[in-house]
Coordinates of all heavy atoms in Angstrom, one line a residue:
M1 N -40.8 -0.7 11.4 CA -40.2 -1.2 12.6 C -38.7 -1.6 12.4 O -37.8 -1.4 13.2 CB -41.0 -2.3 13.3 CG -40.5 -2.7 14.6 SD -40.7 -1.4 15.8 CE -40.1 -2.1 17.2
V2 N -38.5 -2.2 11.2 CA -37.2 -2.7 10.9 C -36.3 -1.5 10.7 O -35.1 -1.5 11.1 CB -37.2 -3.6 9.6 CG1 -35.8 -4.0 9.2 CG2 -38.0 -4.8 9.9
D3 N -36.8 -0.4 10.0 CA -36.0 0.7 9.8 C -35.5 1.4 11.1 O -34.3 1.8 11.2 CB -36.7 1.8 9.0 CG -37.0 1.3 7.6 OD1 -36.3 0.4 7.1 OD2 -38.0 1.8 6.9
V4 N -36.3 1.4 12.1 CA -36.0 2.0 13.4 C -34.9 1.1 14.0 O -33.9 1.6 14.6 CB -37.2 2.1 14.3 CG1 -36.8 2.5 15.7 CG2 -38.2 3.0 13.7
G5 N -35.0 -0.2 13.9 CA -34.0 -1.1 14.5 C -32.7 -1.0 13.8 O -31.6 -1.0 14.5
L6 N -32.7 -0.8 12.5 CA -31.4 -0.6 11.8 C -30.8 0.7 12.2 O -29.6 0.8 12.4 CB -31.6 -0.7 10.3 CG -31.8 -2.1 9.7 CD1 -32.2 -2.0 8.2 CD2 -30.6 -2.9 9.9
F7 N -31.6 1.7 12.3 CA -31.1 3.1 12.7 C -30.4 3.0 14.1 O -29.3 3.5 14.3 CB -32.2 4.1 12.6 CG -31.8 5.5 12.9 CD1 -31.0 6.2 12.0 CD2 -32.2 6.1 14.1 CE1 -30.6 7.5 12.2 CE2 -31.8 7.4 14.3 CZ -31.0 8.1 13.4
I8 N -31.1 2.4 15.0 CA -30.5 2.2 16.3 C -29.3 1.4 16.3 O -28.3 1.7 17.0 CB -31.6 1.6 17.3 CG1 -32.7 2.7 17.5 CG2 -31.0 1.3 18.6 CD1 -33.9 2.1 18.3
S9 N -29.2 0.4 15.5 CA -28.0 -0.5 15.4 C -26.9 0.3 14.8 O -25.7 0.2 15.3 CB -28.3 -1.7 14.5 OG -29.3 -2.5 15.0
Y10 N -27.1 1.1 13.8 CA -26.1 2.0 13.3 C -25.5 3.0 14.3 O -24.3 3.2 14.4 CB -26.5 2.8 12.1 CG -26.9 1.9 10.9 CD1 -27.9 2.3 10.0 CD2 -26.2 0.7 10.6 CE1 -28.1 1.5 8.9 CE2 -26.4 -0.1 9.5 CZ -27.4 0.3 8.6 OH -27.7 -0.4 7.5
I11 N -26.4 3.5 15.1 CA -26.0 4.4 16.2 C -25.1 3.7 17.2 O -24.0 4.2 17.6 CB -27.2 5.1 16.8 CG1 -27.8 6.1 15.8 CG2 -26.8 5.9 18.1 CD1 -29.1 6.7 16.3
L12 N -25.5 2.5 17.6 CA -24.8 1.8 18.6 C -23.4 1.3 18.0 O -22.4 1.3 18.8 CB -25.6 0.6 19.1 CG -26.8 0.9 19.9 CD1 -27.6 -0.4 20.2 CD2 -26.4 1.6 21.2
I13 N -23.4 0.9 16.8 CA -22.1 0.6 16.2 C -21.2 1.8 16.2 O -20.0 1.7 16.5 CB -22.3 0.0 14.8 CG1 -23.0 -1.4 14.9 CG2 -21.0 -0.1 14.0 CD1 -23.4 -2.0 13.5
G14 N -21.7 2.9 15.8 CA -20.9 4.2 15.8 C -20.3 4.5 17.2 O -19.2 4.8 17.4
V15 N -21.2 4.3 18.2 CA -20.8 4.6 19.6 C -19.7 3.6 20.0 O -18.7 4.0 20.6 CB -22.0 4.5 20.6 CG1 -21.5 4.5 22.0 CG2 -22.9 5.7 20.3
C16 N -19.8 2.3 19.6 CA -18.8 1.3 20.0 C -17.5 1.6 19.3 O -16.4 1.5 19.9 CB -19.3 -0.1 19.6 SG -20.7 -0.6 20.6
I17 N -17.6 2.0 18.0 CA -16.3 2.4 17.3 C -15.6 3.5 17.9 O -14.4 3.5 18.1 CB -16.6 2.6 15.8 CG1 -17.0 1.3 15.1 CG2 -15.4 3.3 15.1 CD1 -17.5 1.5 13.7
L18 N -16.4 4.6 18.3 CA -15.8 5.7 19.0 C -15.2 5.3 20.3 O -14.1 5.8 20.7 CB -16.9 6.8 19.2 CG -17.3 7.6 18.0 CD1 -18.4 8.6 18.3 CD2 -16.1 8.4 17.4
A19 N -15.8 4.5 21.0 CA -15.3 4.0 22.3 C -14.0 3.2 22.1 O -13.1 3.3 22.9 CB -16.4 3.2 23.1
A20 N -14.1 2.3 21.1 CA -12.9 1.4 20.9 C -11.7 2.2 20.4 O -10.6 1.8 20.7 CB -13.3 0.3 19.9
V21 N -11.9 3.2 19.7 CA -10.8 4.0 19.2 C -10.5 5.2 20.2 O -9.3 5.5 20.4 CB -11.1 4.6 17.8 CG1 -10.1 5.6 17.3 CG2 -11.2 3.5 16.8
G22 N -11.5 5.8 20.7 CA -11.3 7.0 21.6 C -10.7 6.7 22.9 O -9.8 7.4 23.4
M23 N -11.1 5.6 23.6 CA -10.6 5.4 24.9 C -9.0 5.1 25.0 O -8.4 5.7 25.8 CB -11.3 4.2 25.6 CG -12.8 4.5 25.8 SD -13.1 6.0 26.8 CE -12.7 5.4 28.4
P24 N -8.5 4.3 24.1 CA -7.0 4.1 24.1 C -6.3 5.5 23.7 O -5.2 5.7 24.3 CB -6.8 3.1 23.0 CG -8.0 2.3 22.9 CD -9.1 3.3 23.2
L25 N -6.9 6.3 22.9 CA -6.3 7.6 22.6 C -6.3 8.5 23.8 O -5.3 9.2 24.0 CB -7.0 8.2 21.4 CG -6.7 7.6 20.0 CD1 -7.5 8.3 18.9 CD2 -5.2 7.7 19.7
V26 N -7.4 8.5 24.5 CA -7.4 9.3 25.7 C -6.4 8.9 26.7 O -5.7 9.7 27.3 CB -8.9 9.3 26.3 CG1 -8.9 9.9 27.7 CG2 -9.9 10.0 25.4
K27 N -6.3 7.6 26.9 CA -5.3 7.0 27.8 C -3.9 7.3 27.3 O -3.0 7.6 28.1 CB -5.5 5.5 28.0 CG -4.5 4.9 29.0 CD -4.8 3.4 29.2 CE -3.9 2.9 30.2 NZ -2.6 2.4 29.7
A28 N -3.6 7.2 26.0 CA -2.3 7.5 25.5 C -1.9 8.9 25.6 O -0.7 9.2 25.8 CB -2.3 7.0 24.0
F29 N -2.8 9.9 25.4 CA -2.5 11.3 25.6 C -2.1 11.6 27.0 O -1.4 12.6 27.3 CB -3.6 12.2 25.1 CG -3.6 12.2 23.6 CD1 -4.8 11.9 22.9 CD2 -2.5 12.6 22.8 CE1 -4.8 11.9 21.5 CE2 -2.6 12.7 21.4 CZ -3.7 12.3 20.8
G30 N -2.6 10.8 28.0 CA -2.2 11.0 29.4 C -0.9 10.5 29.7 O -0.3 10.9 30.7
D31 N -0.3 9.6 28.9 CA 1.0 9.0 29.1 C 1.8 9.1 27.8 O 1.6 8.3 26.9 CB 0.8 7.5 29.5 CG 2.1 6.8 29.8 OD1 3.1 7.5 30.1 OD2 2.1 5.6 29.9
P32 N 2.7 10.1 27.8 CA 3.5 10.3 26.5 C 4.3 9.1 26.1 O 4.5 8.8 24.9 CB 4.4 11.4 26.9 CG 3.8 12.1 28.0 CD 3.0 11.1 28.8
D33 N 4.8 8.3 27.0 CA 5.5 7.1 26.6 C 4.7 6.1 25.9 O 5.1 5.4 24.9 CB 6.1 6.4 27.9 CG 7.3 7.2 28.5 OD1 7.9 8.0 27.8 OD2 7.5 7.0 29.7
S34 N 3.4 5.9 26.3 CA 2.5 5.1 25.6 C 2.2 5.6 24.2 O 2.0 4.8 23.3 CB 1.2 5.0 26.5 OG 0.2 4.2 25.8
L35 N 2.1 6.9 24.1 CA 1.9 7.5 22.8 C 3.0 7.3 21.8 O 2.8 7.0 20.7 CB 1.6 9.0 23.0 CG 1.1 9.8 21.8 CD1 -0.3 9.2 21.3 CD2 0.9 11.2 22.1
K36 N 4.2 7.3 22.4 CA 5.4 7.0 21.5 C 5.4 5.6 21.1 O 5.7 5.3 19.9 CB 6.7 7.3 22.3 CG 7.0 8.7 22.5 CD 8.3 8.9 23.4 CE 8.4 10.3 23.8 NZ 9.6 10.5 24.7
K37 N 5.1 4.6 22.0 CA 5.0 3.2 21.6 C 3.9 3.0 20.5 O 4.1 2.2 19.6 CB 4.7 2.4 22.8 CG 5.9 2.3 23.8 CD 5.5 1.5 25.0 CE 6.6 1.5 26.0 NZ 6.3 0.7 27.2
M38 N 2.8 3.6 20.7 CA 1.7 3.5 19.7 C 2.2 4.0 18.4 O 1.9 3.4 17.3 CB 0.5 4.2 20.2 CG -0.7 4.0 19.3 SD -2.3 4.6 19.9 CE -1.9 6.4 20.1
G39 N 2.9 5.2 18.4 CA 3.4 5.7 17.1 C 4.4 4.8 16.4 O 4.4 4.7 15.2
V40 N 5.3 4.2 17.2 CA 6.2 3.2 16.7 C 5.5 2.1 16.0 O 5.9 1.6 14.9 CB 7.2 2.8 17.7 CG1 8.1 1.6 17.2 CG2 8.1 3.9 18.1
G41 N 4.5 1.6 16.7 CA 3.7 0.4 16.2 C 3.0 0.8 14.9 O 3.0 0.0 13.9
V42 N 2.4 1.9 14.8 CA 1.7 2.4 13.6 C 2.7 2.6 12.5 O 2.4 2.3 11.3 CB 0.8 3.6 13.9 CG1 0.3 4.2 12.6 CG2 -0.3 3.3 14.8
G43 N 3.8 3.2 12.8 CA 4.8 3.5 11.9 C 5.4 2.2 11.3 O 5.6 2.1 10.1
A44 N 5.6 1.2 12.1 CA 6.0 -0.1 11.6 C 5.0 -0.8 10.6 O 5.4 -1.3 9.6 CB 6.3 -1.1 12.8
L45 N 3.7 -0.6 11.0 CA 2.7 -1.2 10.1 C 2.7 -0.4 8.7 O 2.6 -1.0 7.7 CB 1.3 -1.1 10.7 CG 1.0 -2.0 11.9 CD1 -0.3 -1.7 12.5 CD2 1.1 -3.5 11.4
V46 N 2.9 0.9 8.8 CA 3.0 1.7 7.5 C 4.2 1.3 6.7 O 4.1 1.1 5.5 CB 3.0 3.2 7.9 CG1 3.3 4.0 6.6 CG2 1.6 3.6 8.4
V47 N 5.3 1.0 7.4 CA 6.5 0.6 6.6 C 6.3 -0.7 6.0 O 6.7 -0.9 4.8 CB 7.7 0.6 7.6 CG1 8.9 -0.1 6.9 CG2 8.1 2.1 7.9
V48 N 5.7 -1.7 6.7 CA 5.5 -3.0 6.1 C 4.5 -2.9 4.9 O 4.8 -3.5 3.9 CB 4.9 -3.9 7.2 CG1 4.3 -5.2 6.6 CG2 5.9 -4.3 8.3
F49 N 3.5 -2.0 5.0 CA 2.6 -1.9 3.9 C 3.2 -1.2 2.7 O 3.0 -1.6 1.6 CB 1.3 -1.1 4.3 CG 0.3 -0.9 3.2 CD1 -0.5 -2.0 2.9 CD2 0.3 0.2 2.5 CE1 -1.4 -1.9 1.8 CE2 -0.6 0.3 1.4 CZ -1.4 -0.7 1.1
L50 N 4.1 -0.2 3.0 CA 4.8 0.4 1.9 C 5.7 -0.5 1.2 O 5.8 -0.5 -0.1 CB 5.5 1.7 2.4 CG 4.6 2.9 2.7 CD1 5.4 4.0 3.3 CD2 3.8 3.4 1.5
I51 N 6.4 -1.3 1.9 CA 7.3 -2.3 1.3 C 6.5 -3.3 0.4 O 6.9 -3.6 -0.7 CB 8.1 -3.1 2.4 CG1 9.2 -2.1 3.0 CG2 8.8 -4.3 1.8 CD1 9.8 -2.7 4.2
A52 N 5.4 -3.7 1.0 CA 4.5 -4.6 0.2 C 3.9 -4.0 -1.0 O 3.8 -4.6 -2.1 CB 3.4 -5.2 1.1
F53 N 3.6 -2.7 -0.9 CA 3.0 -2.0 -2.0 C 4.0 -1.8 -3.1 O 3.7 -2.0 -4.3 CB 2.5 -0.6 -1.6 CG 1.8 0.2 -2.7 CD1 0.5 -0.1 -3.1 CD2 2.5 1.2 -3.3 CE1 -0.1 0.6 -4.1 CE2 1.9 2.0 -4.3 CZ 0.6 1.6 -4.7
F54 N 5.2 -1.4 -2.8 CA 6.2 -1.2 -3.8 C 6.7 -2.4 -4.4 O 7.3 -2.4 -5.5 CB 7.3 -0.3 -3.3 CG 6.9 1.1 -3.1 CD1 7.0 1.7 -1.8 CD2 6.3 1.9 -4.1 CE1 6.6 3.0 -1.6 CE2 5.9 3.2 -3.9 CZ 6.0 3.8 -2.7
T55 N 6.6 -3.6 -3.8 CA 7.0 -4.9 -4.3 C 5.9 -5.6 -5.0 O 6.1 -6.6 -5.7 CB 7.6 -5.8 -3.3 OG1 6.6 -6.0 -2.2 CG2 8.9 -5.2 -2.7
A56 N 4.6 -5.1 -4.9 CA 3.5 -5.7 -5.6 C 3.6 -5.5 -7.1 O 4.0 -4.5 -7.6 CB 2.2 -5.2 -5.1
S57 N 3.2 -6.5 -7.8 CA 3.3 -6.5 -9.3 C 2.3 -5.6 -10.0 O 2.6 -4.9 -10.9 CB 3.3 -7.9 -9.9 OG 2.0 -8.4 -9.7
G58 N 1.1 -5.7 -9.5 CA 0.0 -4.9 -10.2 C -0.6 -5.5 -11.4 O -1.2 -4.8 -12.2
D59 N -0.3 -6.8 -11.7 CA -0.8 -7.4 -12.8 C -2.3 -7.6 -12.6 O -2.7 -8.2 -11.6 CB -0.2 -8.8 -13.0 CG 1.3 -8.7 -13.4 OD1 1.6 -7.6 -14.0 OD2 2.0 -9.6 -13.2
N60 N -3.1 -7.1 -13.5 CA -4.6 -7.3 -13.3 C -5.1 -8.3 -14.3 O -4.7 -8.4 -15.4 CB -5.3 -5.9 -13.5 CG -5.0 -5.3 -14.8 OD1 -4.1 -5.8 -15.6 ND2 -5.7 -4.2 -15.2
S61 N -6.0 -9.1 -13.8 CA -6.8 -10.0 -14.6 C -8.2 -9.8 -14.4 O -8.8 -10.1 -13.3 CB -6.4 -11.5 -14.2 OG -6.7 -11.7 -12.9
G62 N -8.9 -9.2 -15.3 CA -10.3 -8.9 -15.2 C -10.5 -7.4 -15.3 O -9.9 -6.7 -16.0
D63 N -11.5 -7.0 -14.5 CA -11.9 -5.6 -14.6 C -11.2 -4.7 -13.7 O -11.4 -3.5 -13.7 CB -13.4 -5.5 -14.3 CG -14.3 -6.2 -15.3 OD1 -13.8 -6.3 -16.5 OD2 -15.4 -6.6 -15.0
A64 N -10.3 -5.2 -12.9 CA -9.6 -4.4 -11.9 C -8.5 -3.5 -12.6 O -7.9 -3.9 -13.5 CB -8.9 -5.2 -10.8
T65 N -8.4 -2.3 -12.1 CA -7.3 -1.4 -12.6 C -6.0 -1.8 -12.0 O -5.9 -2.6 -11.1 CB -7.6 0.1 -12.2 OG1 -7.6 0.2 -10.8 CG2 -9.0 0.5 -12.7
E66 N -4.9 -1.3 -12.5 CA -3.6 -1.6 -12.1 C -3.4 -1.2 -10.6 O -2.8 -1.9 -9.8 CB -2.5 -1.0 -12.9 CG -1.1 -1.3 -12.5 CD -0.1 -0.7 -13.4 OE1 -0.4 -0.1 -14.5 OE2 1.1 -0.7 -13.0
T67 N -4.0 0.0 -10.2 CA -3.8 0.4 -8.9 C -4.6 -0.5 -7.9 O -4.1 -0.8 -6.8 CB -4.4 1.9 -8.7 OG1 -3.7 2.7 -9.7 CG2 -4.2 2.4 -7.3
T68 N -5.8 -0.9 -8.3 CA -6.6 -1.8 -7.4 C -5.9 -3.1 -7.3 O -5.8 -3.7 -6.2 CB -8.0 -2.0 -8.1 OG1 -8.6 -0.8 -8.2 CG2 -8.8 -2.9 -7.2
A69 N -5.3 -3.7 -8.4 CA -4.6 -4.9 -8.3 C -3.4 -4.8 -7.4 O -3.0 -5.7 -6.6 CB -4.2 -5.4 -9.7
K70 N -2.7 -3.6 -7.5 CA -1.5 -3.4 -6.7 C -1.9 -3.3 -5.2 O -1.2 -3.8 -4.3 CB -0.8 -2.2 -7.2 CG 0.6 -2.1 -6.7 CD 1.4 -1.1 -7.5 CE 2.9 -1.2 -7.1 NZ 3.8 -0.4 -7.9
L71 N -3.0 -2.6 -4.9 CA -3.4 -2.5 -3.5 C -3.8 -3.8 -2.9 O -3.5 -4.1 -1.8 CB -4.6 -1.5 -3.4 CG -4.2 0.0 -3.5 CD1 -5.4 0.9 -3.6 CD2 -3.4 0.4 -2.3
V72 N -4.5 -4.6 -3.7 CA -4.9 -6.0 -3.3 C -3.7 -6.8 -3.0 O -3.6 -7.5 -2.0 CB -5.9 -6.6 -4.3 CG1 -6.1 -8.1 -3.9 CG2 -7.2 -5.9 -4.3
G73 N -2.7 -6.8 -3.9 CA -1.5 -7.6 -3.7 C -0.7 -7.1 -2.5 O -0.2 -7.9 -1.8
A74 N -0.7 -5.8 -2.3 CA 0.0 -5.2 -1.1 C -0.7 -5.6 0.1 O -0.1 -6.0 1.1 CB 0.1 -3.7 -1.2
G75 N -2.0 -5.6 0.1 CA -2.8 -6.1 1.3 C -2.5 -7.5 1.7 O -2.3 -7.9 2.8
L76 N -2.5 -8.4 0.6 CA -2.2 -9.8 0.9 C -0.8 -10.0 1.4 O -0.6 -10.8 2.3 CB -2.5 -10.6 -0.4 CG -3.9 -10.8 -0.8 CD1 -4.0 -11.4 -2.2 CD2 -4.6 -11.6 0.2
T77 N 0.2 -9.3 0.8 CA 1.5 -9.5 1.2 C 1.7 -9.0 2.6 O 2.4 -9.6 3.4 CB 2.5 -8.7 0.2 OG1 2.3 -9.2 -1.1 CG2 3.9 -8.9 0.6
T78 N 1.1 -7.8 3.0 CA 1.1 -7.3 4.3 C 0.5 -8.3 5.3 O 1.1 -8.6 6.4 CB 0.3 -6.0 4.4 OG1 0.9 -5.1 3.5 CG2 0.4 -5.4 5.8
F79 N -0.6 -9.0 4.9 CA -1.2 -10.0 5.8 C -0.2 -11.1 6.0 O 0.0 -11.6 7.1 CB -2.5 -10.5 5.2 CG -3.0 -11.7 5.9 CD1 -3.6 -11.6 7.1 CD2 -2.9 -12.9 5.3 CE1 -4.1 -12.7 7.7 CE2 -3.4 -14.1 5.9 CZ -4.0 -14.0 7.2
Y80 N 0.4 -11.6 4.9 CA 1.3 -12.7 5.0 C 2.5 -12.4 5.9 O 2.9 -13.2 6.8 CB 1.9 -13.2 3.7 CG 0.8 -13.7 2.7 CD1 0.8 -13.5 1.4 CD2 -0.3 -14.4 3.2 CE1 -0.1 -13.9 0.5 CE2 -1.3 -14.9 2.4 CZ -1.2 -14.6 1.0 OH -2.2 -15.1 0.2
I81 N 3.1 -11.2 5.8 CA 4.2 -10.8 6.6 C 3.8 -10.7 8.0 O 4.5 -11.2 8.9 CB 4.8 -9.4 6.1 CG1 5.4 -9.6 4.7 CG2 5.8 -8.8 7.1 CD1 5.8 -8.2 4.1
L82 N 2.7 -10.1 8.3 CA 2.3 -9.9 9.7 C 1.9 -11.3 10.4 O 2.1 -11.5 11.5 CB 1.1 -8.9 9.8 CG 1.5 -7.5 9.5 CD1 0.3 -6.6 9.5 CD2 2.6 -7.0 10.4
A83 N 1.3 -12.2 9.6 CA 0.9 -13.5 10.1 C 2.2 -14.3 10.4 O 2.2 -14.9 11.5 CB 0.0 -14.2 9.0
I84 N 3.2 -14.2 9.5 CA 4.4 -15.0 9.8 C 5.1 -14.4 11.0 O 5.6 -15.1 11.9 CB 5.3 -14.9 8.5 CG1 4.7 -15.8 7.4 CG2 6.7 -15.4 8.9 CD1 5.4 -15.7 6.1
A85 N 5.1 -13.1 11.2 CA 5.7 -12.4 12.3 C 5.0 -12.8 13.6 O 5.6 -13.1 14.6 CB 5.7 -10.9 12.2
A86 N 3.6 -12.9 13.6 CA 2.9 -13.3 14.8 C 3.2 -14.7 15.1 O 3.4 -15.1 16.3 CB 1.4 -13.1 14.5
I87 N 3.2 -15.6 14.1 CA 3.4 -17.0 14.4 C 4.9 -17.2 14.9 O 5.1 -18.0 15.9 CB 3.2 -17.9 13.2 CG1 1.7 -17.9 12.9 CG2 3.7 -19.3 13.4 CD1 1.3 -18.5 11.5
G88 N 5.8 -16.5 14.3 CA 7.2 -16.5 14.8 C 7.3 -16.0 16.2 O 8.1 -16.6 17.0
G89 N 6.6 -15.0 16.6 CA 6.6 -14.5 17.9 C 6.1 -15.5 18.9 O 6.6 -15.6 20.0
I90 N 5.0 -16.2 18.5 CA 4.4 -17.2 19.4 C 5.4 -18.3 19.6 O 5.6 -18.8 20.8 CB 3.1 -17.7 18.9 CG1 2.0 -16.5 18.9 CG2 2.6 -18.9 19.6 CD1 0.8 -16.8 18.1
V91 N 6.0 -18.8 18.5 CA 6.9 -19.9 18.6 C 8.1 -19.5 19.5 O 8.6 -20.3 20.3 CB 7.4 -20.4 17.2 CG1 8.5 -21.3 17.3 CG2 6.2 -21.0 16.5
Y92 N 8.7 -18.3 19.2 CA 9.8 -17.8 20.0 C 9.5 -17.7 21.5 O 10.3 -18.2 22.4 CB 10.2 -16.4 19.5 CG 11.3 -15.8 20.4 CD1 12.6 -16.2 20.3 CD2 10.9 -14.7 21.2 CE1 13.6 -15.6 21.1 CE2 11.9 -14.1 22.0 CZ 13.2 -14.6 22.0 OH 14.2 -14.0 22.8
T93 N 8.3 -17.2 21.8 CA 7.9 -17.1 23.2 C 7.8 -18.5 23.9 O 8.2 -18.7 25.0 CB 6.6 -16.4 23.3 OG1 6.7 -15.1 22.7 CG2 6.1 -16.2 24.8
E94 N 7.2 -19.4 23.2 CA 7.0 -20.8 23.8 C 8.4 -21.5 23.9 O 8.6 -22.1 24.9 CB 6.1 -21.6 22.9 CG 4.6 -21.1 22.9 CD 4.0 -21.1 24.3 OE1 4.3 -22.1 25.1 OE2 3.3 -20.2 24.6
I95 N 9.3 -21.3 23.0 CA 10.6 -21.9 23.1 C 11.3 -21.3 24.3 O 12.0 -21.9 25.1 CB 11.4 -21.8 21.8 CG1 10.7 -22.7 20.8 CG2 12.8 -22.2 22.0 CD1 11.3 -22.6 19.4
K96 N 11.2 -20.0 24.4 CA 11.9 -19.3 25.5 C 11.4 -19.7 26.9 O 12.1 -19.9 27.8 CB 11.7 -17.7 25.3 CG 12.5 -16.9 26.3 CD 12.3 -15.4 26.0 CE 13.0 -14.6 27.1 NZ 12.8 -13.2 26.9
K97 N 10.0 -19.8 26.9 CA 9.4 -20.3 28.2 C 9.9 -21.7 28.5 O 10.1 -22.1 29.7 CB 7.9 -20.2 28.2 CG 7.4 -18.8 28.4 CD 5.9 -18.6 28.5 CE 5.0 -19.8 28.2 NZ 3.6 -19.4 28.2
A98 N 10.0 -22.6 27.5 CA 10.3 -24.0 27.7 C 11.8 -24.1 28.2 O 12.2 -25.0 28.9 CB 10.1 -24.8 26.5
A99 N 12.6 -23.1 27.7 CA 14.1 -23.2 28.0 C 14.4 -22.7 29.4 O 15.4 -23.0 30.0 CB 14.9 -22.3 27.0
E100 N 13.5 -22.0 30.1 CA 13.7 -21.5 31.4 C 13.5 -22.5 32.5 O 13.0 -23.5 32.5 CB 12.8 -20.3 31.7 CG 13.1 -19.1 30.9 CD 12.1 -18.0 31.2 OE1 11.1 -18.1 31.9 OE2 12.3 -16.9 30.6

């Protein structure tokens, strides 16, 4: 009985992932301006990750390879950059609203 429940759960998770990814894509293909904005956003994320990857040291301590250590460092640096940008955006928006 547990195996059947897990199988159904996996199917439902797959359907949810397809819906979460597919519906915005269907809407974006109907509106080219929206597709351009999405491309700019994805491109910006890729640029931030590439900057973080090329600035990562890759020093490994333990069983991790140099590439794995570099990817982990790049992921952490990307997270820090995006978190600071999000917090900065929130602070800027609140200050702008307070100034009006």
Side-chain angles (χ1 to χ4, degrees):
M1 186 66 179
V2 174
D3 292 338
V4 173
L6 283 175
F7 184 68
I8 292 171
S9 297
Y10 292 148
I11 291 173
L12 290 176
I13 289 172
V15 168
C16 290
I17 290 171
L18 286 174
V21 172
M23 295 306 282
L25 286 177
V26 168
K27 184 176 182 276
F29 284 122
D31 184 16
D33 291 336
S34 175
L35 191 60
K36 288 178 190 175
K37 289 178 184 178
M38 185 172 59
V40 168
V42 170
L45 289 175
V46 168
V47 167
V48 168
F49 181 78
L50 287 176
I51 290 170
F53 181 77
F54 289 122
T55 59
S57 66
D59 294 336
N60 57 349
S61 59
D63 295 335
T65 64
E66 183 179 348
T67 304
T68 302
K70 199 163 186 170
L71 283 172
V72 169
L76 287 171
T77 305
T78 301
F79 170 75
Y80 297 146
I81 290 170
L82 294 177
I84 290 169
I87 292 169
I90 292 169
V91 170
Y92 172 76
T93 303
E94 291 301 321
I95 291 173
K96 186 178 174 183
K97 282 186 352 186
E100 292 178 353

